Amino acid sequence: MRITPFFVVSTALGLSLPSAANAALPEPVRDLIDAAVATGDEAKVQTVIDLALTTNPDDAVELETIRAFVLAELAAAKAAEEQEKQEEIRAAGLFENWSGKGEFGAFQATGNSSNTGVTAGLTVQRDGINWRHNLTARVDYQRANGVTTREQFLARYEPNINISDDFYVYALAQYERDRFQGFSGRYAVSGGIGYQVLDEEDIQLSVKAGPAYRVTEFVDGRSESRIAGLVGVDFDWSITDRLKLTHDTNAVAETGGSATVIIDSSNTSLDLVTGLNAKINSSLSARLSYAIEYDSNPPPGAVQTDTLSRITLIYDF
């Protein structure tokens, strides 16, 4: 078998891929390999060369030479791209590399108040090499005939840092206000450890737990502070390209929920959110969600459980 050198050219990657190949190697085969390389998709390259080996077994040496070179170049290109991303992250300023979602719509509440009003939320995130910063804010408000019948505020900041592939350390600061639930302000800080139980392309699950300290200011003027514990769960499952089961309230095209439990000897709080999002375009989605807010020991005159049904539009930025 006489071997003649030639080049397979990938304009997409900007690579000139040398290989020794049989002069009789069909041009359509070379074109298919070149097209697969141009995508930068390793799986496609592997598939095309495997098929070429099936139809052209006499050219196995040449095809394997091409495979080895292409895969090495793709690996080098990916490593260079990752290095470039890390350098950009290191050089980014305080207000750079943030992404997030804004949400606006309506709610229907039951529990300590039964009414319909407007809801708005904002979630922003900044991913570093090992650090992540997450900020969340939400407002539910309703006023009728000059009287406010619903006024709930939530703000949360949570930084965390990876300490291994699966474990991370988190910190959390949270503020809540809900006069109809009986408190004019409730502050909580927590820190602890989290574990990434699952981290696949279509499914992720993480849990976290740690001690917490909570201060509650009641509408009647009383105030109390207690040592507590926090447990949180985040779950994401991409069922299809447009449907995802998740515990993240900032996801696109999903069903999902968010659960956080703060436990102390006096009052255990549970915040659970589930929802269904439908993607409208690359930046906009519609969301239907259902929230349960539970306090085991509410102030006098308040009930333990509030529920909120929300219909909102979410914009990614």
Side-chain angles (χ1 to χ4, degrees):
M1 180 169 57
R2 186 167 59 87
I3 297 176
T4 303
F6 74 99
F7 289 88
V8 179
V9 179
S10 170
T11 56
L13 292 178
L15 302 174
S16 183
L17 308 176
S19 173
N22 190 293
L25 187 66
E27 185 175 349
V29 174
R30 298 198 299 269
D31 291 342
L32 283 174
I33 294 173
D34 193 33
V37 172
T39 68
D41 188 331
E42 180 180 326
K44 289 182 179 179
V45 173
Q46 295 275 30
T47 299
V48 167
I49 292 181
D50 286 342
L51 291 173
L53 285 169
T54 301
T55 57
N56 301 271
D58 291 341
D59 300 314
V61 173
E62 295 79 7
L63 290 169
E64 289 296 351
T65 301
I66 294 172
R67 187 207 299 269
F69 186 85
V70 168
L71 296 184
E73 290 294 331
L74 288 175
K78 288 181 180 178
E81 182 181 1
E82 181 62 28
Q83 180 65 29
E84 184 179 353
K85 287 181 179 178
Q86 291 194 10
E87 293 300 328
E88 289 178 355
I89 291 173
R90 290 189 176 98
L94 178 62
F95 298 103
E96 296 179 309
N97 289 348
W98 289 90
S99 61
K101 302 176 187 297
E103 186 175 356
F104 183 80
F107 72 84
Q108 170 67 48
T110 66
N112 287 288
S113 61
S114 297
N115 46 53
T116 301
V118 296
T119 182
L122 177 67
T123 301
V124 293
Q125 178 175 309
R126 187 176 193 262
D127 291 331
I129 297 174
N130 291 312
W131 280 89
R132 289 181 299 278
H133 300 268
N134 298 280
L135 294 96
T136 302
R138 177 175 295 281
V139 177
D140 294 316
Y141 185 81
Q142 200 268 344
R143 187 174 177 85
N145 299 322
V147 178
T148 300
T149 57
R150 178 77 181 182
E151 186 182 61
Q152 184 184 52
F153 302 93
L154 169 68
R156 180 187 299 126
Y157 170 54
E158 181 181 341
N160 59 59
I161 183 171
N162 294 329
I163 56 176
S164 72
D165 290 341
D166 297 324
F167 287 93
Y168 63 92
V169 174
Y170 80 90
L172 181 143
Q174 179 172 295
Y175 166 76
E176 301 170 86
R177 178 182 175 182
D178 190 339
R179 294 188 297 108
F180 293 92
Q181 241 182 333
F183 54 89
S184 57
R186 186 158 65 186
Y187 311 84
V189 292
S190 176
I193 194 165
Y195 177 64
Q196 191 76 38
V197 181
L198 295 171
D199 190 15
E200 306 295 336
E201 183 177 353
D202 59 345
I203 187 168
Q204 298 87 38
L205 171 65
S206 65
V207 295
K208 63 186 176 187
Y213 179 72
R214 182 162 65 173
V215 177
T216 304
E217 298 174 348
F218 297 99
V219 293
D220 61 6
R222 293 182 300 115
S223 177
E224 66 178 24
S225 58
R226 293 183 178 275
I227 299 296
L230 181 143
V231 178
V233 177
D234 289 316
F235 179 66
D236 297 279
W237 177 23
S238 298
I239 302 172
T240 69
D241 290 341
R242 291 182 171 269
L243 188 65
K244 181 187 291 183
L245 179 67
T246 177
H247 273 276
D248 297 325
T249 58
N250 63 339
V252 176
E254 70 196 26
T255 61
S258 174
T260 303
V261 185
I262 298 181
I263 303 168
D264 66 38
S265 59
S266 173
N267 186 21
T268 296
S269 299
L270 170 65
D271 185 5
L272 174 65
V273 181
T274 60
L276 176 66
N277 286 29
K279 191 171 184 179
I280 299 173
N281 57 39
S282 59
S283 299
L284 191 65
S285 62
R287 177 175 176 83
L288 174 64
S289 64
Y290 184 74
I292 298 175
E293 299 167 356
Y294 171 80
D295 280 324
S296 64
N297 186 23
V303 299
Q304 291 180 323
T305 304
D306 278 353
T307 68
L308 288 95
S309 301
R310 297 184 178 98
I311 300 176
T312 56
L313 290 176
I314 301 176
Y315 178 75
D316 296 346
F317 59 88

